[in-house]
mmCIF file of all heavy atoms in Angstrom:
data_model
loop_
_atom_site.group_PDB
_atom_site.id
_atom_site.type_symbol
_atom_site.label_atom_id
_atom_site.label_comp_id
_atom_site.label_asym_id
_atom_site.label_seq_id
_atom_site.Cartn_x
_atom_site.Cartn_y
_atom_site.Cartn_z
ATOM 1 N N LEU B 110 -0.583 12.058 -10.518
ATOM 2 C CA LEU B 110 -1.292 11.017 -11.232
ATOM 3 C C LEU B 110 -2.301 10.299 -10.231
ATOM 4 O O LEU B 110 -3.406 9.899 -10.541
ATOM 5 C CB LEU B 110 -0.433 10.058 -11.806
ATOM 6 C CG LEU B 110 0.457 10.442 -12.928
ATOM 7 C CD1 LEU B 110 1.603 9.503 -13.322
ATOM 8 C CD2 LEU B 110 -0.317 10.779 -14.308
ATOM 9 N N LEU B 113 -5.493 12.149 -9.949
ATOM 10 C CA LEU B 113 -6.407 11.913 -11.018
ATOM 11 C C LEU B 113 -7.318 10.750 -10.529
ATOM 12 O O LEU B 113 -8.553 10.661 -10.795
ATOM 13 C CB LEU B 113 -5.745 11.699 -12.303
ATOM 14 C CG LEU B 113 -5.012 12.771 -13.078
ATOM 15 C CD1 LEU B 113 -4.275 12.327 -14.262
ATOM 16 C CD2 LEU B 113 -6.081 13.935 -13.391
ATOM 17 N N ALA B 114 -6.754 9.739 -9.981
ATOM 18 C CA ALA B 114 -7.381 8.613 -9.517
ATOM 19 C C ALA B 114 -8.343 8.866 -8.405
ATOM 20 O O ALA B 114 -9.500 8.507 -8.420
ATOM 21 C CB ALA B 114 -6.385 7.597 -9.025
ATOM 22 N N ALA B 117 -11.453 10.643 -9.864
ATOM 23 C CA ALA B 117 -12.363 9.692 -10.524
ATOM 24 C C ALA B 117 -13.115 8.780 -9.597
ATOM 25 O O ALA B 117 -14.330 8.491 -9.822
ATOM 26 C CB ALA B 117 -11.492 8.868 -11.408
ATOM 27 N N VAL B 123 -15.009 5.265 -9.568
ATOM 28 C CA VAL B 123 -14.031 4.450 -10.379
ATOM 29 C C VAL B 123 -13.005 3.912 -9.454
ATOM 30 O O VAL B 123 -12.256 4.657 -8.769
ATOM 31 C CB VAL B 123 -13.432 5.304 -11.555
ATOM 32 C CG1 VAL B 123 -12.445 4.448 -12.291
ATOM 33 C CG2 VAL B 123 -14.520 5.824 -12.478
ATOM 34 N N ALA B 124 -12.864 2.603 -9.468
ATOM 35 C CA ALA B 124 -11.823 2.001 -8.540
ATOM 36 C C ALA B 124 -10.623 1.363 -9.153
ATOM 37 O O ALA B 124 -9.667 1.053 -8.534
ATOM 38 C CB ALA B 124 -12.486 0.775 -7.879
ATOM 39 N N ARG B 125 -10.585 1.403 -10.534
ATOM 40 C CA ARG B 125 -9.292 0.999 -11.323
ATOM 41 C C ARG B 125 -8.979 2.158 -12.222
ATOM 42 O O ARG B 125 -9.733 2.358 -13.211
ATOM 43 C CB ARG B 125 -9.625 -0.186 -12.030
ATOM 44 C CG ARG B 125 -9.523 -1.563 -11.105
ATOM 45 C CD ARG B 125 -9.473 -2.739 -11.952
ATOM 46 N NE ARG B 125 -8.499 -3.587 -11.544
ATOM 47 C CZ ARG B 125 -8.125 -4.827 -12.224
ATOM 48 N NH1 ARG B 125 -8.723 -5.133 -13.348
ATOM 49 N NH2 ARG B 125 -7.152 -5.548 -11.731
ATOM 50 N N VAL B 126 -7.927 2.901 -11.975
ATOM 51 C CA VAL B 126 -7.571 4.130 -12.764
ATOM 52 C C VAL B 126 -6.332 3.938 -13.391
ATOM 53 O O VAL B 126 -5.295 3.676 -12.729
ATOM 54 C CB VAL B 126 -7.682 5.336 -11.910
ATOM 55 C CG1 VAL B 126 -7.211 6.621 -12.685
ATOM 56 C CG2 VAL B 126 -9.123 5.561 -11.328
ATOM 57 N N PHE B 127 -6.216 4.156 -14.670
ATOM 58 C CA PHE B 127 -4.964 4.291 -15.417
ATOM 59 C C PHE B 127 -4.808 5.761 -15.736
ATOM 60 O O PHE B 127 -5.418 6.346 -16.628
ATOM 61 C CB PHE B 127 -4.979 3.514 -16.712
ATOM 62 C CG PHE B 127 -3.715 3.399 -17.438
ATOM 63 C CD1 PHE B 127 -2.740 2.608 -17.010
ATOM 64 C CD2 PHE B 127 -3.527 4.316 -18.584
ATOM 65 C CE1 PHE B 127 -1.444 2.655 -17.625
ATOM 66 C CE2 PHE B 127 -2.292 4.201 -19.228
ATOM 67 C CZ PHE B 127 -1.317 3.421 -18.750
ATOM 68 N N ALA B 128 -4.069 6.373 -15.013
ATOM 69 C CA ALA B 128 -3.751 7.930 -15.237
ATOM 70 C C ALA B 128 -2.723 8.241 -16.219
ATOM 71 O O ALA B 128 -1.701 7.532 -16.220
ATOM 72 C CB ALA B 128 -3.392 8.499 -13.876
ATOM 73 N N CYS B 129 -2.948 9.147 -17.144
ATOM 74 C CA CYS B 129 -2.054 9.453 -18.170
ATOM 75 C C CYS B 129 -2.130 10.918 -18.508
ATOM 76 O O CYS B 129 -3.133 11.489 -18.865
ATOM 77 C CB CYS B 129 -2.522 8.625 -19.440
ATOM 78 S SG CYS B 129 -1.641 8.877 -20.851
ATOM 79 N N LEU B 130 -0.995 11.612 -18.370
ATOM 80 C CA LEU B 130 -0.863 13.023 -18.640
ATOM 81 C C LEU B 130 0.098 13.228 -19.798
ATOM 82 O O LEU B 130 1.106 12.562 -19.897
ATOM 83 C CB LEU B 130 -0.310 13.801 -17.379
ATOM 84 C CG LEU B 130 -1.387 13.871 -16.267
ATOM 85 C CD1 LEU B 130 -0.595 14.589 -15.140
ATOM 86 C CD2 LEU B 130 -2.496 14.783 -16.621
ATOM 87 N N VAL B 137 4.265 10.446 -22.646
ATOM 88 C CA VAL B 137 3.184 10.564 -21.546
ATOM 89 C C VAL B 137 3.697 10.120 -20.265
ATOM 90 O O VAL B 137 4.548 9.192 -20.118
ATOM 91 C CB VAL B 137 2.000 9.716 -21.981
ATOM 92 C CG1 VAL B 137 1.209 10.483 -23.168
ATOM 93 C CG2 VAL B 137 2.206 8.243 -22.335
ATOM 94 N N TYR B 138 3.155 10.685 -19.222
ATOM 95 C CA TYR B 138 3.356 10.297 -17.825
ATOM 96 C C TYR B 138 2.201 9.295 -17.481
ATOM 97 O O TYR B 138 1.024 9.618 -17.713
ATOM 98 C CB TYR B 138 3.316 11.384 -16.811
ATOM 99 C CG TYR B 138 4.441 12.376 -16.992
ATOM 100 C CD1 TYR B 138 4.108 13.739 -17.212
ATOM 101 C CD2 TYR B 138 5.778 12.020 -16.804
ATOM 102 C CE1 TYR B 138 5.137 14.667 -17.392
ATOM 103 C CE2 TYR B 138 6.714 12.948 -17.040
ATOM 104 C CZ TYR B 138 6.372 14.322 -17.267
ATOM 105 O OH TYR B 138 7.402 15.183 -17.411
ATOM 106 N N VAL B 139 2.558 8.118 -16.988
ATOM 107 C CA VAL B 139 1.474 7.146 -16.643
ATOM 108 C C VAL B 139 1.671 6.548 -15.291
ATOM 109 O O VAL B 139 2.823 6.431 -14.757
ATOM 110 C CB VAL B 139 1.386 5.966 -17.791
ATOM 111 C CG1 VAL B 139 1.074 6.446 -19.067
ATOM 112 C CG2 VAL B 139 2.734 5.274 -17.794
ATOM 113 N N ALA B 140 0.603 6.071 -14.673
ATOM 114 C CA ALA B 140 0.537 5.282 -13.448
ATOM 115 C C ALA B 140 -0.831 4.624 -13.366
ATOM 116 O O ALA B 140 -1.802 5.065 -13.992
ATOM 117 C CB ALA B 140 0.851 6.183 -12.215
ATOM 118 N N ALA B 141 -0.876 3.582 -12.496
ATOM 119 C CA ALA B 141 -2.187 2.897 -12.404
ATOM 120 C C ALA B 141 -2.478 2.641 -10.927
ATOM 121 O O ALA B 141 -1.517 2.248 -10.174
ATOM 122 C CB ALA B 141 -2.217 1.594 -13.182
ATOM 123 N N TYR B 142 -3.650 2.834 -10.558
ATOM 124 C CA TYR B 142 -4.133 2.618 -9.090
ATOM 125 C C TYR B 142 -5.315 1.841 -8.985
ATOM 126 O O TYR B 142 -6.297 2.035 -9.866
ATOM 127 C CB TYR B 142 -4.350 4.120 -8.555
ATOM 128 C CG TYR B 142 -3.141 4.961 -8.723
ATOM 129 C CD1 TYR B 142 -3.038 5.836 -9.809
ATOM 130 C CD2 TYR B 142 -2.108 5.038 -7.727
ATOM 131 C CE1 TYR B 142 -1.882 6.679 -9.921
ATOM 132 C CE2 TYR B 142 -1.065 5.843 -7.864
ATOM 133 C CZ TYR B 142 -0.931 6.662 -8.848
ATOM 134 O OH TYR B 142 0.174 7.470 -9.052
ATOM 135 N N GLU B 143 -5.382 1.058 -7.895
ATOM 136 C CA GLU B 143 -6.617 0.300 -7.553
ATOM 137 C C GLU B 143 -7.170 0.577 -6.322
ATOM 138 O O GLU B 143 -6.355 0.678 -5.309
ATOM 139 C CB GLU B 143 -6.284 -1.236 -7.668
ATOM 140 C CG GLU B 143 -6.047 -1.727 -9.076
ATOM 141 C CD GLU B 143 -5.860 -3.304 -9.093
ATOM 142 O OE1 GLU B 143 -4.837 -3.766 -8.648
ATOM 143 O OE2 GLU B 143 -6.819 -4.011 -9.487
ATOM 144 N N TRP B 149 -5.864 3.165 -1.655
ATOM 145 C CA TRP B 149 -5.391 2.993 -2.896
ATOM 146 C C TRP B 149 -4.146 2.039 -2.978
ATOM 147 O O TRP B 149 -3.262 2.130 -2.001
ATOM 148 C CB TRP B 149 -4.880 4.389 -3.534
ATOM 149 C CG TRP B 149 -6.065 5.165 -3.957
ATOM 150 C CD1 TRP B 149 -6.534 6.248 -3.292
ATOM 151 C CD2 TRP B 149 -6.898 4.985 -5.145
ATOM 152 N NE1 TRP B 149 -7.580 6.776 -4.013
ATOM 153 C CE2 TRP B 149 -7.868 6.073 -5.152
ATOM 154 C CE3 TRP B 149 -6.886 4.052 -6.183
ATOM 155 C CZ2 TRP B 149 -8.854 6.185 -6.053
ATOM 156 C CZ3 TRP B 149 -7.907 4.243 -7.066
ATOM 157 C CH2 TRP B 149 -8.884 5.252 -7.099
ATOM 158 N N ALA B 152 -0.719 -0.054 -8.910
ATOM 159 C CA ALA B 152 -0.570 -1.136 -9.702
ATOM 160 C C ALA B 152 0.575 -0.956 -10.767
ATOM 161 O O ALA B 152 1.054 -1.938 -11.282
ATOM 162 C CB ALA B 152 -1.887 -1.401 -10.460
ATOM 163 N N LEU B 153 0.844 0.335 -10.941
ATOM 164 C CA LEU B 153 1.998 0.730 -11.855
ATOM 165 C C LEU B 153 2.581 2.022 -11.370
ATOM 166 O O LEU B 153 1.822 3.048 -11.263
ATOM 167 C CB LEU B 153 1.417 0.858 -13.345
ATOM 168 C CG LEU B 153 2.475 1.320 -14.396
ATOM 169 C CD1 LEU B 153 3.501 0.238 -14.620
ATOM 170 C CD2 LEU B 153 1.820 1.774 -15.760
ATOM 171 N N ASP B 154 3.732 2.035 -11.152
ATOM 172 C CA ASP B 154 4.536 3.250 -10.521
ATOM 173 C C ASP B 154 4.589 4.331 -11.604
ATOM 174 O O ASP B 154 4.601 4.010 -12.831
ATOM 175 C CB ASP B 154 5.854 2.826 -10.077
ATOM 176 C CG ASP B 154 5.879 2.200 -8.725
ATOM 177 O OD1 ASP B 154 5.055 2.488 -7.855
ATOM 178 O OD2 ASP B 154 6.686 1.178 -8.650
ATOM 179 N N LEU B 158 6.772 7.485 -20.773
ATOM 180 C CA LEU B 158 6.806 6.415 -21.804
ATOM 181 C C LEU B 158 6.469 7.081 -23.100
ATOM 182 O O LEU B 158 5.722 8.140 -23.154
ATOM 183 C CB LEU B 158 5.931 5.288 -21.639
ATOM 184 C CG LEU B 158 6.145 4.407 -20.315
ATOM 185 C CD1 LEU B 158 4.967 3.437 -20.143
ATOM 186 C CD2 LEU B 158 7.502 3.714 -20.361
ATOM 187 N N ALA B 162 4.641 2.621 -26.316
ATOM 188 C CA ALA B 162 5.169 1.637 -25.339
ATOM 189 C C ALA B 162 4.240 1.491 -24.124
ATOM 190 O O ALA B 162 4.450 0.628 -23.241
ATOM 191 C CB ALA B 162 6.498 2.173 -24.769
ATOM 192 N N VAL B 163 2.990 2.226 -24.137
ATOM 193 C CA VAL B 163 2.203 2.134 -23.010
ATOM 194 C C VAL B 163 1.428 0.885 -23.009
ATOM 195 O O VAL B 163 0.834 0.483 -24.056
ATOM 196 C CB VAL B 163 1.222 3.409 -23.028
ATOM 197 C CG1 VAL B 163 0.078 3.204 -21.914
ATOM 198 C CG2 VAL B 163 1.969 4.619 -22.817
ATOM 199 N N ARG B 164 1.277 0.203 -21.914
ATOM 200 C CA ARG B 164 0.497 -1.030 -21.700
ATOM 201 C C ARG B 164 -0.180 -0.890 -20.336
ATOM 202 O O ARG B 164 0.273 -0.350 -19.401
ATOM 203 C CB ARG B 164 1.417 -2.276 -21.686
ATOM 204 C CG ARG B 164 2.159 -2.397 -22.869
ATOM 205 C CD ARG B 164 1.303 -2.816 -24.137
ATOM 206 N NE ARG B 164 1.975 -3.088 -25.347
ATOM 207 C CZ ARG B 164 2.477 -2.299 -26.215
ATOM 208 N NH1 ARG B 164 2.216 -0.904 -26.008
ATOM 209 N NH2 ARG B 164 3.251 -2.619 -27.236
ATOM 210 N N LEU B 165 -1.452 -1.388 -20.309
ATOM 211 C CA LEU B 165 -2.110 -1.408 -19.029
ATOM 212 C C LEU B 165 -1.651 -2.555 -18.124
ATOM 213 O O LEU B 165 -1.207 -3.567 -18.641
ATOM 214 C CB LEU B 165 -3.713 -1.610 -19.302
ATOM 215 C CG LEU B 165 -4.363 -0.582 -20.010
ATOM 216 C CD1 LEU B 165 -5.823 -0.931 -20.190
ATOM 217 C CD2 LEU B 165 -4.096 0.829 -19.388
ATOM 218 N N PRO B 166 -1.827 -2.482 -16.789
ATOM 219 C CA PRO B 166 -1.669 -3.638 -15.932
ATOM 220 C C PRO B 166 -2.574 -4.775 -16.348
ATOM 221 O O PRO B 166 -3.668 -4.576 -16.997
ATOM 222 C CB PRO B 166 -1.957 -3.062 -14.497
ATOM 223 C CG PRO B 166 -1.720 -1.700 -14.727
ATOM 224 C CD PRO B 166 -2.304 -1.230 -16.092
ATOM 225 N N GLY B 170 -11.296 -3.614 -16.850
ATOM 226 C CA GLY B 170 -12.126 -2.621 -16.171
ATOM 227 C C GLY B 170 -11.237 -1.375 -15.697
ATOM 228 O O GLY B 170 -11.673 -0.661 -14.819
ATOM 229 N N TRP B 171 -10.181 -1.177 -16.361
ATOM 230 C CA TRP B 171 -9.412 0.008 -16.176
ATOM 231 C C TRP B 171 -10.083 1.290 -16.874
ATOM 232 O O TRP B 171 -10.574 1.100 -17.948
ATOM 233 C CB TRP B 171 -8.006 -0.202 -16.655
ATOM 234 C CG TRP B 171 -7.155 -1.085 -15.913
ATOM 235 C CD1 TRP B 171 -6.932 -2.365 -16.191
ATOM 236 C CD2 TRP B 171 -6.394 -0.920 -14.635
ATOM 237 N NE1 TRP B 171 -6.115 -3.003 -15.317
ATOM 238 C CE2 TRP B 171 -5.873 -2.106 -14.280
ATOM 239 C CE3 TRP B 171 -6.354 0.186 -13.787
ATOM 240 C CZ2 TRP B 171 -5.157 -2.364 -13.162
ATOM 241 C CZ3 TRP B 171 -5.715 0.044 -12.588
ATOM 242 C CH2 TRP B 171 -5.072 -1.091 -12.300
ATOM 243 N N HIS B 172 -9.999 2.300 -16.190
ATOM 244 C CA HIS B 172 -10.610 3.641 -16.673
ATOM 245 C C HIS B 172 -9.490 4.651 -16.953
ATOM 246 O O HIS B 172 -8.698 4.901 -15.860
ATOM 247 C CB HIS B 172 -11.680 4.245 -15.766
ATOM 248 C CG HIS B 172 -12.975 3.361 -15.768
ATOM 249 N ND1 HIS B 172 -14.073 3.781 -16.552
ATOM 250 C CD2 HIS B 172 -13.223 2.217 -15.159
ATOM 251 C CE1 HIS B 172 -14.946 2.873 -16.343
ATOM 252 N NE2 HIS B 172 -14.576 1.885 -15.563
ATOM 253 N N GLY B 173 -9.390 5.100 -18.090
ATOM 254 C CA GLY B 173 -8.207 6.077 -18.338
ATOM 255 C C GLY B 173 -8.658 7.531 -17.910
ATOM 256 O O GLY B 173 -9.830 8.015 -18.047
ATOM 257 N N GLU B 174 -7.811 8.273 -17.268
ATOM 258 C CA GLU B 174 -8.008 9.589 -16.769
ATOM 259 C C GLU B 174 -6.786 10.494 -17.130
ATOM 260 O O GLU B 174 -5.657 10.029 -16.892
ATOM 261 C CB GLU B 174 -8.170 9.605 -15.242
ATOM 262 C CG GLU B 174 -9.387 8.852 -14.759
ATOM 263 C CD GLU B 174 -10.749 9.436 -14.994
ATOM 264 O OE1 GLU B 174 -10.729 10.706 -15.041
ATOM 265 O OE2 GLU B 174 -11.641 8.724 -15.278
ATOM 266 N N GLY B 175 -7.043 11.616 -17.642
ATOM 267 C CA GLY B 175 -5.857 12.630 -17.975
ATOM 268 C C GLY B 175 -5.829 12.918 -19.468
ATOM 269 O O GLY B 175 -6.300 12.280 -20.351
ATOM 270 N N PHE B 178 -4.967 11.143 -23.062
ATOM 271 C CA PHE B 178 -5.795 10.488 -23.993
ATOM 272 C C PHE B 178 -6.350 11.462 -24.941
ATOM 273 O O PHE B 178 -6.873 11.119 -26.103
ATOM 274 C CB PHE B 178 -6.956 9.934 -23.163
ATOM 275 C CG PHE B 178 -6.473 8.781 -22.260
ATOM 276 C CD1 PHE B 178 -6.415 8.968 -20.920
ATOM 277 C CD2 PHE B 178 -6.330 7.481 -22.846
ATOM 278 C CE1 PHE B 178 -5.957 7.854 -20.121
ATOM 279 C CE2 PHE B 178 -5.988 6.434 -22.055
ATOM 280 C CZ PHE B 178 -5.723 6.611 -20.654
ATOM 281 N N LEU B 184 -4.477 5.882 -27.479
ATOM 282 C CA LEU B 184 -4.356 5.261 -26.252
ATOM 283 C C LEU B 184 -5.715 4.858 -25.745
ATOM 284 O O LEU B 184 -5.832 3.849 -24.843
ATOM 285 C CB LEU B 184 -3.637 6.241 -25.241
ATOM 286 C CG LEU B 184 -2.264 6.580 -25.469
ATOM 287 C CD1 LEU B 184 -1.735 7.488 -24.469
ATOM 288 C CD2 LEU B 184 -1.348 5.281 -25.520
ATOM 289 N N LEU B 187 -6.413 1.038 -25.881
ATOM 290 C CA LEU B 187 -5.712 -0.002 -25.189
ATOM 291 C C LEU B 187 -6.476 -1.081 -24.762
ATOM 292 O O LEU B 187 -7.572 -0.913 -24.157
ATOM 293 C CB LEU B 187 -4.873 0.694 -23.973
ATOM 294 C CG LEU B 187 -3.739 1.604 -24.317
ATOM 295 C CD1 LEU B 187 -3.381 2.343 -23.006
ATOM 296 C CD2 LEU B 187 -2.534 0.858 -24.890
ATOM 297 N N GLY B 189 -8.074 -3.718 -22.514
ATOM 298 C CA GLY B 189 -8.305 -3.779 -21.006
ATOM 299 C C GLY B 189 -8.864 -2.339 -20.585
ATOM 300 O O GLY B 189 -9.334 -2.258 -19.386
ATOM 301 N N LEU B 190 -8.925 -1.350 -21.411
ATOM 302 C CA LEU B 190 -9.411 -0.036 -21.011
ATOM 303 C C LEU B 190 -10.923 0.077 -21.284
ATOM 304 O O LEU B 190 -11.429 -0.040 -22.445
ATOM 305 C CB LEU B 190 -8.642 1.065 -21.791
ATOM 306 C CG LEU B 190 -8.821 2.521 -21.271
ATOM 307 C CD1 LEU B 190 -8.004 2.531 -19.904
ATOM 308 C CD2 LEU B 190 -8.173 3.480 -22.253
ATOM 309 N N ALA B 191 -11.698 0.291 -20.215
ATOM 310 C CA ALA B 191 -13.079 0.466 -20.274
ATOM 311 C C ALA B 191 -13.649 1.686 -20.869
ATOM 312 O O ALA B 191 -14.731 1.840 -21.346
ATOM 313 C CB ALA B 191 -13.792 0.044 -19.021
ATOM 314 N N GLY B 192 -12.889 2.727 -20.761
ATOM 315 C CA GLY B 192 -13.160 4.144 -21.166
ATOM 316 C C GLY B 192 -12.081 5.089 -20.809
ATOM 317 O O GLY B 192 -11.179 4.744 -20.068
ATOM 318 N N ALA B 193 -12.183 6.221 -21.441
ATOM 319 C CA ALA B 193 -11.213 7.284 -21.136
ATOM 320 C C ALA B 193 -11.779 8.580 -21.028
ATOM 321 O O ALA B 193 -12.673 8.962 -21.804
ATOM 322 C CB ALA B 193 -10.084 7.241 -22.256
ATOM 323 N N ASN B 194 -11.325 9.452 -20.017
ATOM 324 C CA ASN B 194 -11.809 10.746 -19.727
ATOM 325 C C ASN B 194 -10.576 11.639 -19.866
ATOM 326 O O ASN B 194 -9.767 11.781 -18.911
ATOM 327 C CB ASN B 194 -12.413 10.824 -18.422
ATOM 328 C CG ASN B 194 -12.842 12.205 -18.094
ATOM 329 O OD1 ASN B 194 -13.057 13.189 -18.858
ATOM 330 N ND2 ASN B 194 -13.111 12.482 -16.747
ATOM 331 N N VAL B 197 -9.660 16.075 -17.883
ATOM 332 C CA VAL B 197 -9.458 16.312 -16.458
ATOM 333 C C VAL B 197 -7.953 16.607 -16.256
ATOM 334 O O VAL B 197 -7.090 16.191 -17.096
ATOM 335 C CB VAL B 197 -9.779 15.054 -15.640
ATOM 336 C CG1 VAL B 197 -11.310 14.783 -15.546
ATOM 337 C CG2 VAL B 197 -9.106 13.761 -16.210
#
Side-chain angles (χ1 to χ4, degrees):
L110 296 168
L113 293 176
V123 175
R125 284 187 133 189
V126 175
F127 187 77
C129 179
L130 289 173
V137 288
Y138 297 120
V139 298
Y142 304 91
E143 289 185 288
W149 288 104
L153 176 68
D154 286 319
L158 298 171
V163 173
R164 301 290 185 273
L165 296 182
W171 292 98
H172 289 259
E174 300 287 328
F178 293 100
L184 293 177
L187 287 169
L190 198 66
N194 178 17
V197 290

